[in-house]
Structure formats: C-alpha cells, structure tokens
Amino acid sequence: LTPFSASEDLRSTWQGKAGRSPLQALYESDQFEQSSLQAVHQQRREMLSNVCSRYTRKRRLLQPDDLRHLVVDDTHGLLYCYVPKVACTNWKRVMMVLTGQGKYQDPLEIPAHEAHVPSNLRTLSEYSVPEINYRLRSYLKFVFVREPFERLVSAYRNKFTLSYNTAFHKRYGTRIIRRHRQEPSDRALERGDDVRFEEFVYYLLDPRTQQEEPFNEHWERVHSLCHPCIIHYDVVGKYETLAEDANYILQLVGADTSVKFPASSKTTRTTDDMTAQFFQDISPFYQRRLFNLYKMDYLLFNYSIPSYLRIR
C-alpha cells in the first residue's frame, strides 16, 4: 500500500465549508453551550499541537500498519485509538455497542475477553488508502491517555504479578530474567513468573529490547501507538477525567442516550501512591533514563514530572 502523510489534506481534519469544522458548528449551535469542558479540550489540543511543532522536525509518512490501534465506527463517524491500560476494554465494549447494529445493548454484558477479539471491531489498517484518508479527514478522532508511569506500573502489575498471565511470563518474563537477573534459578528461567519491577525497568532500558522487536503495546508509548503529531485528534480524553470525557465524546457523535460508558468500580486500580512505592527501589540514574524514555508522553499530554522521582 502507498504510504500516506499528514498533508494539508489531513491537517485540515474536520474542515467543512468556509473553513468551519463540524466540531466548530456543534460548538456554535444551541445544542452545545460554551462550557468549561470544551475549553479544557481546546487547551489539550493546543498543548498537543505546540509540543508537536517544537519536538517533531520531520513529518514522517504513515503506513497502514501504523493504524492497527485505530478502531473504526462507520455508523457514527468515529475513530478511537486504543491504548492498553487506559480503560481500553470498556471503550472497546462501547465501540461494539455503537457498531453492533443492535446486537449489543449494554457494554458490561460483553465479556472482557470478547472485547479484545480482533474480528469484533474493524481497525483503520483494514481499509484501502483512499478509505483511510477519507476517514482521517472526516471522522471524529479521539484517544485516551494516562499518567505514563502509572500506566507502566499498571501494565507491570497486570502482566507480571498475576498468576494467570502465563503467556506473558513465558514470552517476556523468561527473557527478562535470563538477561537481567544474576544467577537465576532453573524454575525462574523456565516459568518467568516472578519478574521484579526493577528487572522490568532494566529490560525497557536495554538497547537490545527494541532492536529485537517493538515494545509490547501494554508498555509502548502512546505517541508510538497513536501518532498524535501526525493524526490530529479532536478529543484527547484522560484517565483522570474518564467519565466526563467519555460522556462528552458520546454526546459529540450523537450516540443513543441509552449508551453509557461503564462506571469504574475497580478497587485494585493502580494509583499515584502505589506507583511511588514501585519506584522507591529504582535508583535516580535509572529513574532519569526511564523518564527520558517516556518523556514525549509526559510533554504531549501535559503530565508533570512525578514528585516521587529523584531526578531533579
């Protein structure tokens, strides 16, 4: 497939007649009063645009393979870039309700594992280049982000501390232990189910890791998964304001009022305090290197340097 770029064509996303975008038209209509929420989203877009212009010198071409994380809803004209560990299971459930032609009514009735079956949702990479460009130009595009280290610790806890994630233990755990543990036991080398957070950090910072294969999507940076400096997102939702942002998006696309984003009831959620505990045993040298690895996500989405880091 021919690569396609963020041309003027793409940068004028949502532009309608006389330079007014459908989003602007919505803002100006009676349906949407100028609210503080709109101002927040405007600020997030401007922040993103400013950081992109400052830090990205050369605009690279997008390949269809870059679009595997963009879920398409042709009914409502919606593109959602999913980021693991940022409520993506619930968003995929909602997308299944939106695209299901009445097959699903309640997102919470959809089992979590079914939300991640690739054939249940179409991604933008499955379309032809003209179809891709049309959707990038015309559809409302959104992404949800989270404090980068909180997301990283959440991924570590989920993939390396839960006994049922044997596929991750075998594929990644055994490799991490083999390379980053002195004198590992035969059992640890075989099972890979007791990776320490410190070893996980060494693995992320090891140059060989990304030379051999791309990061797994659970710890890949958002800017590498969703390309926010090439694809111009209309809404950048945040995990910290999940309910308000989710309702805002459903309202913007005119989703049926019966479609509700599931309320979060998890008590096991990774918090800032919990993240700080995981970083206690990481030396300032490695904290600094890890921060540099995720620095673009901090900058793009306006997250401040965590107070628990000893890198100042």
Side-chain angles (χ1 to χ4, degrees), residues 12-24:
S12 61
T13 303
W14 273 97
Q15 288 300 313
K17 289 179 184 173
R20 281 166 84 251
S21 71
L23 212 55
Q24 286 167 328

Side-chain angles (χ1 to χ4, degrees), residues 249-274:
I249 289 161
L250 292 173
Q251 207 179 358
L252 273 180
V253 295
D256 193 292
T257 52
S258 65
V259 181
K260 303 286 185 205
F261 190 84
S264 178
S265 59
K266 272 198 163 180
T267 51
T268 56
R269 185 173 93 73
T270 302
T271 61
D272 185 63
D273 288 346
M274 198 183 290

